[in-house]
Amino acid sequence: RRILETLALALANIRQRRLQSQAHEREHEGRSFSESVHTVPSADIPVIVLDNFMDKSIAFTPVILDWAASVVEAGLAHCVITTSSISGYHEVQRAQPQSPASLMSLADASPIEAISLLQHQLAPPNLLQQTAPDSSSVESAESYAQRLDTASSDSIANAAQVLGGRLEDLQLFVQKVRAGESVDAALEDIVQRSITEVRKYAFANDSEVGQCEHTWSPEQFWFLLTELAQHNDVEYDRVRSSALFAGKDDALLGLAEAQLITMVYNNDRPSRIRAGRPVYAAAFTRILEDPGFASSMTVKMNKKFIALETAKIREAEDELSVLNVFRASVEAQSALTSSMAIVAASHGYKGRDKGRGLSPEAYVAQVAGTSGRCQGSELGHRPRES
C-alpha cells in the first residue's frame, strides 16, 4: 500500500506540473488570467501498464485494482491491463463501476502472416549467417538446408493452417525443425501434446487438474468438443441455452479460464466460442476420431441427456399427481355437498325454513348438529350391558 500511495503522489505531482505548464503557456499567449486550468490533455496523462495481471492468483490483486481505478477516476493516469484470464474484465468492472472499461481482445495472426513467419524463421540463409565458421557448423547448416529443401511449401502451409496464428506454437514448431525434426514430425508432436493437454485438463478428475477449477462436467465439454470439431466456432447463446448447460455460465467460464475454449466478444458480451488454441481444433478432431474414447463419451453424454429428460418427466408427473389430488378433493367436496342436500331434503327442509332465512347449507349444518347431539345423548343413556 505504501508503494502504491507513493506512486499516486508522484502522479499527482506530474499532473500539477502539467497544469502549471499549461498556465504558463496561456500567460505567454496573452490569454486571460481568470481562465483556470483544471484538466490535462489526454495525450499528456501518464500510462500505467499492468502486464500479465491476474494470470496468477495473488492476495493483493483487489488492492491494486482499487488503486488503479482511483488514479484513473482522479485523472492522474491511464491504466492498461493485459491478462489471459477471462475473469479479469469482470474484476476491472467491479473495481470501477462508475465508468465502463474498454475491452480489446487480441486475436491470432492470419494464415498468410503465419506462413510468412514460418518461411522467414526457417529460411536457410539466416541460419548460415548465424553459425560459426567451423566445419561442423557448416555441415550442420548445409544438412539443415538440404532437409528444408525437401519440405515443400505445401507442408509448411499445412503446418501454418494447423497451428494457426498462435505465436508460441509457431515458435515451438520452428525450434523443433531447427533441432533436426522434419516438418511433419514436428507438427505431429505438437498435435499429440495438445491431445494430451486436452484429455488431462478437460476429462481428468479435480485432483489431477491442478490449479484449474473443474466447474464443468466431462459431458459438457464433450458436447462442445463435438461441435467445435465440426465447426470453426459455435454460437455462445445456443450452447448456453442447451440442456447440458441449462442457461448457466459457470462451466463455460471455467473452460475459458483453463484456456480450453476462447470466447469471442461482441459489444462487450460473449458472442462466439472457439477452441482455446488453433491447434486444439486439430486435437478435437483427433479425439473425436478415436472410436473407443468417442463411443464411451457419447454414451455418457446420452445418459446425461436421458437423466435430464427423466428428471423433467418426473417433475411433470409430480405436478400431475398434485393436480389429481386437487381434482379428487374437488370431486369429494361436490359429492359431500350433494349428500348434504339429500340429507336436508330427507329431514324436511321446506319453505318455512327457507322463509326464516336459512340456506340449505345452514339447514344441513343445523340438522347435522342436532342429529349428532341426539346420537350422543342416546349413547350416554344407553344402559350398560352386564
Side-chain angles (χ1 to χ4, degrees):
R1 288 182 179 272
R2 292 182 179 180
I3 295 175
L4 295 178
E5 291 174 358
T6 304
L7 182 57
L9 182 60
L11 293 174
N13 293 334
I14 294 175
R15 174 183 171 82
Q16 187 64 28
R17 287 198 298 268
R18 296 287 171 84
L19 293 177
Q20 292 176 358
S21 176
Q22 290 183 16
H24 289 310
E25 290 179 359
R26 290 196 174 193
E27 182 181 356
H28 180 71
E29 293 175 359
R31 296 186 183 183
S32 175
F33 293 101
S34 60
E35 298 179 3
S36 59
V37 180
H38 298 287
T39 59
V40 177
S42 179
D44 295 336
I45 298 178
V47 178
I48 299 176
V49 179
L50 302 177
D51 193 15
N52 295 327
F53 191 61
M54 290 182 292
D55 287 352
K56 295 182 179 180
S57 179
I58 53 180
F60 49 87
T61 295
V63 177
I64 298 179
L65 285 178
D66 294 337
W67 175 85
S70 64
V71 297
V72 170
E73 292 176 359
L76 300 179
H78 298 299
C79 187
V80 178
I81 299 176
T82 63
T83 178
S84 59
S85 174
I86 191 63
S87 62
Y89 178 68
H90 303 288
E91 294 295 330
V92 173
Q93 289 285 53
R94 180 199 58 79
Q96 191 180 7
Q98 292 81 7
S99 58
S102 300
L103 176 65
M104 181 181 297
S105 299
L106 301 181
D108 297 320
S110 65
I112 297 178
E113 293 173 341
I115 294 174
S116 177
L117 176 65
L118 290 181
Q119 291 177 347
H120 176 72
Q121 293 288 336
L122 297 175
N126 292 341
L127 185 61
L128 289 174
Q129 294 174 2
Q130 296 176 2
T131 53
D134 59 297
S135 59
S136 60
S137 300
V138 173
E139 290 178 358
S140 61
E142 291 178 353
S143 61
Y144 169 79
Q146 294 176 359
R147 179 166 46 83
L148 191 62
D149 289 339
T150 59
S152 63
S153 59
D154 293 337
S155 61
I156 296 180
N158 180 49
Q161 182 180 3
V162 173
L163 299 176
R166 190 62 57 92
L167 182 59
E168 58 180 340
D169 293 333
L170 294 175
Q171 290 178 342
L172 178 61
F173 175 77
V174 171
Q175 292 175 3
K176 288 181 175 296
V177 173
R178 285 182 175 179
E181 297 185 22
S182 64
V183 173
D184 296 335
L187 179 61
E188 180 65 22
D189 182 65
I190 295 176
V191 173
Q192 289 296 331
R193 289 189 178 187
S194 301
I195 294 174
T196 303
E197 291 177 2
V198 170
R199 287 186 172 176
K200 175 182 177 181
Y201 290 106
F203 301 105
N205 296 327
D206 293 347
S207 59
E208 299 178 2
V209 172
Q211 296 180 353
C212 300
E213 295 183 0
H214 229 164
T215 58
W216 66 91
S217 65
E219 294 82 7
Q220 289 175 328
F221 182 74
W222 182 253
F223 175 79
L224 260 179
L225 185 146
T226 54
E227 292 289 332
L228 293 175
Q230 300 173 4
H231 309 89
N232 292 330
D233 53 15
V234 294
E235 188 177 356
Y236 174 83
D237 293 328
R238 185 175 69 85
V239 175
R240 182 175 177 270
S241 60
S242 62
L244 286 175
F245 291 88
K248 298 180 180 180
D249 300 328
D250 297 342
L252 295 175
L253 292 177
L255 289 170
E257 285 286 347
Q259 299 183 3
L260 292 170
I261 63 172
T262 298
M263 294 186 184
V264 180
Y265 282 76
N266 185 17
N267 296 326
D268 286 347
R269 63 175 299 271
S271 175
R272 312 289 297 182
I273 297 177
R274 295 176 181 173
R277 290 159 51 190
V279 70
Y280 279 175
F284 292 167
T285 304
R286 292 281 190 91
I287 294 174
L288 192 62
E289 292 175 352
D290 186 352
F293 185 75
S295 300
S296 62
M297 289 305 304
T298 303
V299 169
K300 290 182 179 180
M301 185 180 67
N302 291 334
K303 287 183 177 180
K304 189 67 175 180
F305 276 120
I306 293 173
L308 293 173
E309 296 301 326
T310 303
K312 292 181 181 179
I313 294 174
R314 289 179 180 175
E315 183 179 357
E317 288 177 347
D318 294 340
E319 185 177 356
L320 184 59
S321 63
V322 172
L323 293 176
N324 289 334
V325 171
F326 177 74
R327 179 181 178 183
S329 63
V330 171
E331 291 177 353
Q333 182 67 25
S334 177
L336 180 59
T337 304
S338 301
S339 301
M340 292 170 65
I342 295 173
V343 172
S346 64
H347 282 75
Y349 177 76
K350 298 180 181 179
R352 56 187 178 84
D353 299 313
K354 183 178 181 181
R356 290 188 296 175
L358 291 175
S359 62
E361 292 79 2
Y363 179 78
V364 169
Q366 181 179 0
V367 172
T370 304
S371 61
R373 288 195 299 272
C374 293
Q375 292 177 2
S377 60
E378 289 178 359
L379 291 173
H381 292 83
R382 181 177 297 176
R384 181 177 300 176
E385 295 180 359
S386 59

